[in-house]
Amino acid sequence: MARSDTRYREAFNAILDFCATLAPGSLIPSEQTLSERTNVSRTVVRRCLARLQEHGVISWQGREKVLLRMPVRNDRLEIGALKVSPEDLEGRFLDWILRFDIPAGTPLSIADLSRKFEVPQHELKEFLAGLSRFGLVARRPKGGWRLSGFTADFAVELSDFRALLELNAVRQAANAPPDDPFWSALSDLRSAHVSLSKRIDTDYHSFSGLDEQFHQRINGIVRNRFFKEFQKVISLIFHYHYLWNKADERERNAAAIEEHLAIIDALEARDADGAVVAARRHLDTSKMTLLSSLRYHELA
Amino acid sequence: MARSDTRYREAFNAILDFCATLAPGSLIPSEQTLSERTNVSRTVVRRCLARLQEHGVISWQGREKVLLRMPVRNDRLEIGALKVSPEDLEGRFLDWILRFDIPAGTPLSIADLSRKFEVPQHELKEFLAGLSRFGLVARRPKGGWRLSGFTADFAVELSDFRALLELNAVRQAANAPPDDPFWSALSDLRSAHVSLSKRIDTDYHSFSGLDEQFHQRINGIVRNRFFKEFQKVISLIFHYHYLWNKADERERNAAAIEEHLAIIDALEARDADGAVVAARRHLDTSKMTLLSSLRYHELA
DNA sequence: GATAACGTTTTTTATTATAAAGTGCAGTCT
DNA sequence: AGACTGCACTTTATAATAAAAAACGTTATC
């Protein structure tokens, strides 16, 4: 019923490592200095020093801390489970939803998910609270959560919203200054697309990554935190969806490459309207793919 | 260290009220029926029945539950603190930020806020986790939260994003079918604007409400959960900001009414391009107002 | 013999208690 | 005077737990 002491354990080992660089008899820096170096509060540093003293590694009296002996392997503290990053949780959650085709309306059990993903319950609660802002999950009347996304309606609305954001980005991209690093990156992307196009019959799987790179490049033009936040979720959902929709993968990807190239052509010609038209065509295809993959799953 | 029993208390009183409608000697419906009526699980219903039996209000044996006596005032259970809605918290939080001019970067203490708003800590955590998705707050490296919004950058990005969404809505509105209830609502809004315009010198305060109505009407055209979710936050921020920016309020509001009317004119003429132009002008003014009010506060 | 209700057990959620970590300040040492 | 420590206080992250919900046989009723 308290927080974990991973911080302390990591700091202790860090200080131990630091001691290993000194010779016995050396003075050890101040608590403040150590706390800055280990990125941890003075309270933790003091706890570490106390342990070092207890184990006879240092002597500690007031502000005089002296290294008595070199630290050995056995002095180190074990560090338990490694922390999972929020992004990782995000990905695994969407992956799970799509992989097992969780239907809209399914109650989500925090306890269950917490076991499944090996993440503390309160982290999951925070995570779901965040997703609820995007309408992907919602609170149930009698407590708990419910998956509300991944219906046809959801897909249409998601695609429409994505189109609004991305067409805006395309328009801005076309008007980017000539010395913007965007242009050289775009030229690299063109080469990558042409190259993949040639070996599409065998390498069509690797399009997924290229697709994400391409869209990220376009959207990266817009310097807007709201835009970026949303784009992150959108691309995540599309990414995972495509990953799990295997129908006609080769044909779909070959077609998408052509559509991407059309957008690149228009952009490099600084033809904003043309780029928007090409992008709209591509986004429409995307929308249809997302919808048909949902329909496919509904029938299954 | 357990959840509150408000649910039980409310259900108990509800069942008591129901008993009051019966005559002594009557049979009481099944546990399931009661649970459906009180919107509560059977477990809670059984707890209520047990208490009723204990207090001699009913007899209870298997599925035979009989009302023994009429319930009296003293049988009722006290209900503690009333639940605050998440929307309420949202409003109060933004209000607090603006009222006290909390600068960007300020650490937010859950413990402190929880006392201030009289909301359990875990609810605040969820709330902040939601806001973090909009970039309004962020986690601090060593734990806790930090207010990251309400800088000039933030205001610009927020306004730009708002403009993107709202111009899209205006364009859609102009193309709404003639029988859409939107048109009659718009006509009502025109009257309200004209009326307020005439008594602007005295009633300029009441523009805030009308402004919200107007924008909500326009944005209501778009049937898209992402759009709506974002619009909610945006309008909340603008709303509270305007509420606290008192400089030139009369002039600002008078000008805004004219700008609204220009948008209405263009919409009623089904002139999509004209409406977008008028809306862009209005949104630009809004952006400037938001920015200048921030600057004003920074200097103070 | 099907359906609805009950009694009981298991699971899950909301809330609190608490150890760990962080913060601030008065006083001390150099 | 400036940096450092000792100590008290505050805040956060997390586990423990009572309340509520859900699941599951069993029993009564039509």
Side-chain angles (χ1 to χ4, degrees):
Chain A
M1 42 161 120
R3 57 196 289 180
S4 63
D5 59 355
T6 317
R7 252 202 146 131
Y8 157 64
R9 288 162 177 278
E10 279 178 349
F12 182 84
N13 288 344
I15 293 177
L16 215 58
D17 288 343
F18 171 74
C19 286
T21 67
L22 301 173
S26 313
L27 277 171
I28 287 162
S30 75
E31 295 174 9
Q32 272 182 345
T33 313
L34 289 173
S35 99
E36 277 160 36
R37 275 208 208 159
T38 49
N39 253 318
V40 104
S41 80
R42 260 185 62 219
T43 311
V44 175
V45 171
R46 300 185 109 244
R47 210 141 90 79
C48 295
L49 292 174
R51 190 189 162 90
L52 285 171
Q53 183 186 34
E54 201 181 319
H55 284 244
V57 182
I58 63 166
S59 68
W60 183 21
Q61 228 175 155
R63 50 195 74 181
E64 201 172 274
K65 301 179 284 290
V66 182
L67 184 64
L68 294 179
R69 63 167 176 84
M70 291 307 278
V72 294
R73 202 153 185 25
N74 208 257
D75 289 325
R76 303 193 121 252
L77 282 172
E78 283 294 324
I79 289 173
L82 24 83
K83 186 105 175 68
V84 280
S85 79
E87 293 84 47
D88 189 43
L89 176 60
E90 202 162 72
R92 286 198 293 154
F93 179 76
L94 287 172
D95 189 47
W96 169 73
I97 289 179
L98 294 165
R99 193 190 285 261
F100 294 102
D101 250 328
I102 315 294
T106 308
L108 299 173
S109 150
I110 295 271
D112 192 27
L113 293 174
S114 148
R115 281 189 297 265
K116 213 191 300 289
F117 296 127
E118 290 176 300
V119 157
Q121 296 198 1
H122 59 99
E123 267 181 48
L124 259 158
K125 272 184 70 173
E126 269 186 43
F127 172 65
L128 291 180
L131 284 191
S132 77
R133 287 272 176 179
F134 293 128
L136 236 156
V137 301
R139 281 197 155 288
R140 278 189 304 164
K142 286 186 197 172
W145 301 83
R146 181 183 52 213
L147 183 70
S148 55
F150 293 101
T151 58
D153 277 353
F154 180 85
V156 168
E157 292 174 20
L158 182 70
S159 300
D160 288 349
F161 201 80
R162 181 200 194 193
L164 181 64
L165 299 187
E166 197 146 338
L167 291 178
N168 175 257
V170 165
R171 193 176 299 280
Q172 279 194 40
N175 297 318
D179 59 336
D180 197 300
F182 169 76
W183 295 113
S184 74
L186 194 68
S187 148
D188 291 348
L189 277 169
R190 172 195 286 284
S191 318
H193 276 82
V194 171
S195 149
L196 181 58
S197 175
K198 281 183 190 140
R199 48 199 168 78
I200 188 71
D201 285 331
T202 53
D203 291 1
Y204 60 87
H205 267 113
S206 59
F207 174 71
S208 176
L210 188 58
D211 187 58
E212 228 182 337
Q213 271 180 52
F214 176 74
H215 287 282
Q216 248 168 39
R217 233 330 138 183
I218 302 268
N219 291 315
I221 276 286
V222 182
R223 297 256 169 280
N224 187 307
R225 73 190 77 184
F226 303 102
F227 191 96
K228 282 190 196 300
E229 261 328 300
F230 236 100
Q231 203 62 51
K232 234 164 58 189
V233 178
I234 291 176
S235 68
L236 208 64
I237 294 176
F238 272 88
H239 176 74
Y240 277 101
H241 230 290
Y242 284 173
L243 230 51
W244 286 108
N245 180 10
K246 298 294 182 203
D248 313 315
E249 198 182 353
R250 203 190 60 76
E251 290 76 11
R252 273 197 291 122
N253 290 352
I257 288 180
E258 292 311 314
E259 291 176 354
H260 281 188
L261 284 171
I263 299 173
I264 295 175
D265 284 343
L267 281 176
E268 290 191 332
R270 304 294 194 274
D271 172 10
D273 290 335
V276 167
V277 169
R280 196 188 299 278
R281 194 176 314 126
H282 178 54
L283 291 169
D284 277 346
T285 315
S286 257
K287 180 175 174 175
M288 286 307 148
T289 310
L290 184 61
L291 269 171
S292 71
S293 88
L294 278 174
R295 215 166 288 135
Y296 169 80
H297 280 116
E298 264 165 30
L299 293 173
Chain B
M1 44 161 121
R3 60 196 288 181
S4 66
D5 60 354
T6 318
R7 205 128 219 190
Y8 157 62
R9 288 161 177 279
E10 279 179 350
F12 182 82
N13 289 343
I15 293 176
L16 215 58
D17 287 343
F18 171 73
C19 286
T21 68
L22 302 173
S26 313
L27 277 170
I28 287 164
S30 75
E31 295 174 7
Q32 271 182 346
T33 313
L34 289 173
S35 98
E36 277 160 36
R37 276 208 208 160
T38 49
N39 254 319
V40 104
S41 79
R42 258 184 67 216
T43 311
V44 175
V45 170
R46 301 187 105 243
R47 209 140 91 77
C48 296
L49 291 174
R51 189 188 163 89
L52 286 171
Q53 183 187 33
E54 202 181 317
H55 285 244
V57 181
I58 64 166
S59 68
W60 183 22
Q61 226 175 157
R63 52 195 70 182
E64 199 173 273
K65 301 177 284 291
V66 182
L67 184 64
L68 294 180
R69 64 169 175 81
M70 292 305 279
V72 294
R73 202 153 185 24
N74 208 258
D75 289 326
R76 303 191 122 252
L77 281 171
E78 284 293 324
I79 289 173
L82 23 83
K83 185 105 174 69
V84 281
S85 78
E87 292 86 46
D88 191 43
L89 177 60
E90 202 162 72
R92 287 198 292 153
F93 179 76
L94 288 172
D95 190 46
W96 169 73
I97 288 179
L98 294 165
R99 193 190 285 263
F100 296 101
D101 251 329
I102 316 294
T106 309
L108 299 173
S109 150
I110 295 270
D112 192 27
L113 292 174
S114 147
R115 281 190 297 263
K116 213 191 301 291
F117 296 128
E118 291 176 300
V119 158
Q121 297 198 358
H122 60 96
E123 269 181 46
L124 259 157
K125 270 183 70 172
E126 268 186 43
F127 172 65
L128 291 180
L131 284 191
S132 77
R133 286 270 172 176
F134 294 128
L136 237 156
V137 302
R139 281 196 156 288
R140 279 189 303 164
K142 287 185 196 172
W145 300 83
R146 182 183 52 211
L147 182 70
S148 56
F150 292 101
T151 58
D153 278 353
F154 180 84
V156 168
E157 291 174 21
L158 182 70
S159 300
D160 288 350
F161 202 80
R162 182 199 193 193
L164 182 64
L165 299 187
E166 197 147 336
L167 291 177
N168 176 256
V170 165
R171 194 177 296 282
Q172 278 195 40
N175 296 319
D179 60 336
D180 196 301
F182 170 75
W183 296 112
S184 74
L186 193 68
S187 148
D188 291 348
L189 278 169
R190 172 194 284 284
S191 317
H193 275 82
V194 170
S195 150
L196 181 59
S197 175
K198 281 183 188 139
R199 46 200 169 78
I200 187 72
D201 286 330
T202 53
D203 291 1
Y204 61 85
H205 268 112
S206 58
F207 174 71
S208 176
L210 187 59
D211 187 59
E212 229 183 335
Q213 272 179 50
F214 176 75
H215 287 283
Q216 248 168 39
R217 231 333 136 181
I218 303 267
N219 291 316
I221 276 286
V222 181
R223 297 255 168 280
N224 187 307
R225 72 191 77 186
F226 303 102
F227 190 96
K228 281 189 197 301
E229 212 46 58
F230 238 97
Q231 202 62 51
K232 233 165 58 189
V233 179
I234 291 176
S235 68
L236 207 65
I237 293 177
F238 272 87
H239 176 74
Y240 277 99
H241 229 290
Y242 284 174
L243 230 52
W244 286 108
N245 179 11
K246 297 296 183 203
D248 314 314
E249 198 182 355
R250 203 190 60 75
E251 291 76 11
R252 272 197 291 122
N253 290 352
I257 289 180
E258 292 312 313
E259 291 177 355
H260 281 188
L261 284 171
I263 300 172
I264 296 176
D265 285 343
L267 282 176
E268 290 191 334
R270 304 294 194 274
D271 172 10
D273 290 336
V276 166
V277 169
R280 196 188 299 276
R281 195 176 314 127
H282 178 54
L283 291 168
D284 277 347
T285 316
S286 257
K287 179 176 174 175
M288 285 308 148
T289 309
L290 185 61
L291 269 171
S292 71
S293 88
L294 277 175
R295 216 165 289 135
Y296 169 79
H297 280 117
E298 265 166 30
L299 293 174

